[in-house]
Amino acid sequence: MIPFDLTLNAIALPWDETPSRKHLVTLSQETLLSALDPSMLCQDIALINSKGDYVGWIPHSLLTHTLYNLWQTTSHFYEALLQAVEDAVTVVDQNGIVLSWNKSAEKLYQCDQEEIIGKPITDFFKEESLMLMNTLKNGTIIEHQYNQSRSDVHVLVSTRPIEINKQQVGGLSVERNINDLVRLNEGLASQTAYIQALEQKIDTINANDPFHKIKGRSPELLSAITLAKKVARTDASVLINGESGVGKELFAQAIHKASSRAKKPFVDLNCGAIPASLFESELFGYEKGAFTGAAREGKQGKFDLAKGGTLFLDEIGELPLDLQVKLLRVLQERDYYRVGGTKAIPFDVRIIAATNRNLEEMISEGTFRQDLYYRLNVVSIQIPPLRSRIEDIPELVQLFVQEFSNKYHRPIPTIAPEVMYTFLHHPWGGNIRQLRNTIEHMIILADEDGIHPHHLPNNLLMNGRKSPTQPEALPIELAPQRGDLEELKTIQQALEKTYGNKSAAAKMLGISRVTLYNKIRKYKLN
């Protein structure tokens, strides 16, 4: 129902017995103009109320005048609406003749109203490119569908059939200009391809450095990398020490790739994950029929698989004493026997071992052989735990955020200062592995506006520290009695430890961010 619809009573003249009832069409006073049959428009109308009493009448001339005024009003409203809409609007009749073409359509297609109105729309566009023609033919409704009516114009189209009394009399289309969006998307695609090409070049450059995957700039880590690079050029056995999750296997792989054995296999074996009864056959392999249940063709062991390359023995401290003896014999004699075999096989494998246990204490306790320890520990590399190199945490966080954002197809989120503060002061018992898992957990749960304290796993807030929203007092603080030089040094330390994050640095210093900014300006810090 249009908003200009009226009841007949609203336009009627008072009933005064002047008109002859014989020539009048009688209707209820509540009848709407829109409900009139077209045949009644040329007749005078008498109106009655609910009791059947005559209450008014409408001469056909008054009815015609009223309808004309309503048509004019509706037409002006329609035209104003048509021109106010920012989208391009096209209205055609059932034959595709253009009836309306607003200013936005003129601008989008560079075609004036005077040029197109009254003419078939197919004179200006290819019929197959017009979704409006499909609506005219089939009466279909289209919602926000991408289309190109012309090669240089990109739009989202919505169409509707126009019906009167269930008869289609035309159609309407609304087109939203998305040229800028398409160009922006094409630009982003081009830039993304360019960035990917740069990343490939960087990867190619980094490929020449097997240690490029080890991220960090702390002195302890850089010292470990330097030592690893030196020992990689030799065939010496290496013992890598470090807590669980610090990246011992990453170091072992880098040493292998930087060695003369890089083109040969790198084989890893977790000494703590294999039952003692199976360890010997896993390490040395076995001959066919060596024992009940053995494969007919026998089996190669890790020594066979790693021939010419590197064998990484992770968690070497978990190796039982009797197997330690057998491993020691291989390292001394430089040959080994498969289980059930009698033929000595030359041993051509570099050994890199790793442990998170104190082997020297185990030696004093009698649970690890001293002679094997010295065979493995030609060069020892100590990898520092994450809590002792907190200056590396921001870089690692950003690395893992990017990794898991790409993996889960999420935009790279911002990290709230409170979250970074928590990261910098968590003990990280699981080291880098724990940090990586934490970031993955948070990326999965993160909101579009970033990572906030409520996304932190509970275990990060249960280590005896206060909530990151209420940070505990730290040893780094600003005291009025300190000299400017010492204060400057303290601020620099805080900024370095928070990787330049001023909000986190202010919390660490126990001052407001405004105060920190004033101090930065005072000392002209970048």
Side-chain angles (χ1 to χ4, degrees), residues 189-202:
S190 175
Q191 289 298 317
T192 300
Y194 176 68
I195 291 171
Q196 289 177 344
L198 288 178
E199 288 177 344
Q200 289 177 353
K201 288 182 180 179
I202 292 171

PDB file of all heavy atoms in Angstrom, residues 189-202:
ATOM      1  N   ALA A 189      46.437  -7.645  -4.624  1.00  0.00           N
ATOM      2  CA  ALA A 189      46.915  -8.919  -5.172  1.00  0.00           C
ATOM      3  C   ALA A 189      48.298  -8.747  -5.777  1.00  0.00           C
ATOM      4  O   ALA A 189      49.186  -9.596  -5.610  1.00  0.00           O
ATOM      5  CB  ALA A 189      45.936  -9.434  -6.222  1.00  0.00           C
ATOM      6  N   SER A 190      48.479  -7.619  -6.470  1.00  0.00           N
ATOM      7  CA  SER A 190      49.786  -7.349  -7.068  1.00  0.00           C
ATOM      8  C   SER A 190      50.853  -7.165  -5.995  1.00  0.00           C
ATOM      9  O   SER A 190      51.956  -7.704  -6.091  1.00  0.00           O
ATOM     10  CB  SER A 190      49.692  -6.092  -7.951  1.00  0.00           C
ATOM     11  OG  SER A 190      50.958  -5.742  -8.453  1.00  0.00           O
ATOM     12  N   GLN A 191      50.487  -6.395  -4.936  1.00  0.00           N
ATOM     13  CA  GLN A 191      51.437  -6.174  -3.854  1.00  0.00           C
ATOM     14  C   GLN A 191      51.738  -7.466  -3.106  1.00  0.00           C
ATOM     15  O   GLN A 191      52.878  -7.727  -2.717  1.00  0.00           O
ATOM     16  CB  GLN A 191      50.887  -5.124  -2.883  1.00  0.00           C
ATOM     17  CG  GLN A 191      50.864  -3.713  -3.453  1.00  0.00           C
ATOM     18  CD  GLN A 191      52.257  -3.209  -3.806  1.00  0.00           C
ATOM     19  OE1 GLN A 191      53.208  -3.392  -3.058  1.00  0.00           O
ATOM     20  NE2 GLN A 191      52.379  -2.601  -4.978  1.00  0.00           N
ATOM     21  N   THR A 192      50.690  -8.298  -2.918  1.00  0.00           N
ATOM     22  CA  THR A 192      50.896  -9.575  -2.248  1.00  0.00           C
ATOM     23  C   THR A 192      51.854 -10.450  -3.039  1.00  0.00           C
ATOM     24  O   THR A 192      52.749 -11.085  -2.482  1.00  0.00           O
ATOM     25  CB  THR A 192      49.549 -10.305  -2.065  1.00  0.00           C
ATOM     26  OG1 THR A 192      48.696  -9.487  -1.269  1.00  0.00           O
ATOM     27  CG2 THR A 192      49.737 -11.653  -1.384  1.00  0.00           C
ATOM     28  N   ALA A 193      51.657 -10.482  -4.367  1.00  0.00           N
ATOM     29  CA  ALA A 193      52.562 -11.261  -5.221  1.00  0.00           C
ATOM     30  C   ALA A 193      53.983 -10.728  -5.118  1.00  0.00           C
ATOM     31  O   ALA A 193      54.950 -11.500  -5.080  1.00  0.00           O
ATOM     32  CB  ALA A 193      52.070 -11.224  -6.664  1.00  0.00           C
ATOM     33  N   TYR A 194      54.088  -9.376  -5.064  1.00  0.00           N
ATOM     34  CA  TYR A 194      55.414  -8.768  -4.957  1.00  0.00           C
ATOM     35  C   TYR A 194      56.080  -9.133  -3.637  1.00  0.00           C
ATOM     36  O   TYR A 194      57.261  -9.493  -3.594  1.00  0.00           O
ATOM     37  CB  TYR A 194      55.273  -7.250  -5.078  1.00  0.00           C
ATOM     38  CG  TYR A 194      56.564  -6.481  -4.893  1.00  0.00           C
ATOM     39  CD1 TYR A 194      57.599  -6.572  -5.823  1.00  0.00           C
ATOM     40  CD2 TYR A 194      56.750  -5.670  -3.778  1.00  0.00           C
ATOM     41  CE1 TYR A 194      58.772  -5.876  -5.654  1.00  0.00           C
ATOM     42  CE2 TYR A 194      57.921  -4.963  -3.601  1.00  0.00           C
ATOM     43  CZ  TYR A 194      58.938  -5.067  -4.541  1.00  0.00           C
ATOM     44  OH  TYR A 194      60.101  -4.378  -4.362  1.00  0.00           O
ATOM     45  N   ILE A 195      55.264  -9.075  -2.544  1.00  0.00           N
ATOM     46  CA  ILE A 195      55.806  -9.425  -1.223  1.00  0.00           C
ATOM     47  C   ILE A 195      56.217 -10.890  -1.185  1.00  0.00           C
ATOM     48  O   ILE A 195      57.269 -11.244  -0.636  1.00  0.00           O
ATOM     49  CB  ILE A 195      54.762  -9.119  -0.134  1.00  0.00           C
ATOM     50  CG1 ILE A 195      54.581  -7.595   0.004  1.00  0.00           C
ATOM     51  CG2 ILE A 195      55.169  -9.717   1.214  1.00  0.00           C
ATOM     52  CD1 ILE A 195      53.424  -7.202   0.886  1.00  0.00           C
ATOM     53  N   GLN A 196      55.378 -11.757  -1.786  1.00  0.00           N
ATOM     54  CA  GLN A 196      55.724 -13.179  -1.813  1.00  0.00           C
ATOM     55  C   GLN A 196      57.006 -13.416  -2.599  1.00  0.00           C
ATOM     56  O   GLN A 196      57.821 -14.261  -2.221  1.00  0.00           O
ATOM     57  CB  GLN A 196      54.567 -13.975  -2.416  1.00  0.00           C
ATOM     58  CG  GLN A 196      53.347 -14.056  -1.512  1.00  0.00           C
ATOM     59  CD  GLN A 196      52.193 -14.775  -2.167  1.00  0.00           C
ATOM     60  OE1 GLN A 196      52.170 -14.968  -3.387  1.00  0.00           O
ATOM     61  NE2 GLN A 196      51.204 -15.170  -1.360  1.00  0.00           N
ATOM     62  N   ALA A 197      57.170 -12.650  -3.688  1.00  0.00           N
ATOM     63  CA  ALA A 197      58.405 -12.781  -4.468  1.00  0.00           C
ATOM     64  C   ALA A 197      59.612 -12.360  -3.633  1.00  0.00           C
ATOM     65  O   ALA A 197      60.670 -13.003  -3.664  1.00  0.00           O
ATOM     66  CB  ALA A 197      58.318 -11.944  -5.744  1.00  0.00           C
ATOM     67  N   LEU A 198      59.434 -11.256  -2.861  1.00  0.00           N
ATOM     68  CA  LEU A 198      60.517 -10.813  -1.988  1.00  0.00           C
ATOM     69  C   LEU A 198      60.820 -11.863  -0.920  1.00  0.00           C
ATOM     70  O   LEU A 198      61.991 -12.127  -0.609  1.00  0.00           O
ATOM     71  CB  LEU A 198      60.158  -9.486  -1.321  1.00  0.00           C
ATOM     72  CG  LEU A 198      60.164  -8.238  -2.211  1.00  0.00           C
ATOM     73  CD1 LEU A 198      59.732  -7.023  -1.409  1.00  0.00           C
ATOM     74  CD2 LEU A 198      61.556  -8.011  -2.801  1.00  0.00           C
ATOM     75  N   GLU A 199      59.742 -12.445  -0.353  1.00  0.00           N
ATOM     76  CA  GLU A 199      59.940 -13.478   0.671  1.00  0.00           C
ATOM     77  C   GLU A 199      60.683 -14.679   0.099  1.00  0.00           C
ATOM     78  O   GLU A 199      61.531 -15.275   0.766  1.00  0.00           O
ATOM     79  CB  GLU A 199      58.588 -13.910   1.238  1.00  0.00           C
ATOM     80  CG  GLU A 199      57.941 -12.858   2.130  1.00  0.00           C
ATOM     81  CD  GLU A 199      56.569 -13.283   2.623  1.00  0.00           C
ATOM     82  OE1 GLU A 199      56.002 -14.234   2.035  1.00  0.00           O
ATOM     83  OE2 GLU A 199      56.060 -12.681   3.583  1.00  0.00           O
ATOM     84  N   GLN A 200      60.361 -15.031  -1.154  1.00  0.00           N
ATOM     85  CA  GLN A 200      61.060 -16.151  -1.789  1.00  0.00           C
ATOM     86  C   GLN A 200      62.533 -15.826  -1.976  1.00  0.00           C
ATOM     87  O   GLN A 200      63.405 -16.681  -1.782  1.00  0.00           O
ATOM     88  CB  GLN A 200      60.412 -16.481  -3.129  1.00  0.00           C
ATOM     89  CG  GLN A 200      59.038 -17.123  -2.996  1.00  0.00           C
ATOM     90  CD  GLN A 200      58.377 -17.369  -4.337  1.00  0.00           C
ATOM     91  OE1 GLN A 200      58.881 -16.948  -5.381  1.00  0.00           O
ATOM     92  NE2 GLN A 200      57.243 -18.048  -4.316  1.00  0.00           N
ATOM     93  N   LYS A 201      62.806 -14.547  -2.339  1.00  0.00           N
ATOM     94  CA  LYS A 201      64.202 -14.150  -2.483  1.00  0.00           C
ATOM     95  C   LYS A 201      64.931 -14.208  -1.148  1.00  0.00           C
ATOM     96  O   LYS A 201      66.078 -14.656  -1.067  1.00  0.00           O
ATOM     97  CB  LYS A 201      64.284 -12.730  -3.056  1.00  0.00           C
ATOM     98  CG  LYS A 201      63.892 -12.633  -4.520  1.00  0.00           C
ATOM     99  CD  LYS A 201      64.041 -11.208  -5.034  1.00  0.00           C
ATOM    100  CE  LYS A 201      63.652 -11.109  -6.496  1.00  0.00           C
ATOM    101  NZ  LYS A 201      63.775  -9.721  -7.014  1.00  0.00           N
ATOM    102  N   ILE A 202      64.216 -13.743  -0.094  1.00  0.00           N
ATOM    103  CA  ILE A 202      64.818 -13.783   1.242  1.00  0.00           C
ATOM    104  C   ILE A 202      65.075 -15.220   1.656  1.00  0.00           C
ATOM    105  O   ILE A 202      66.129 -15.550   2.213  1.00  0.00           O
ATOM    106  CB  ILE A 202      63.902 -13.072   2.257  1.00  0.00           C
ATOM    107  CG1 ILE A 202      63.871 -11.565   1.958  1.00  0.00           C
ATOM    108  CG2 ILE A 202      64.378 -13.312   3.691  1.00  0.00           C
ATOM    109  CD1 ILE A 202      62.841 -10.814   2.763  1.00  0.00           C
TER     110      ILE A 202
END
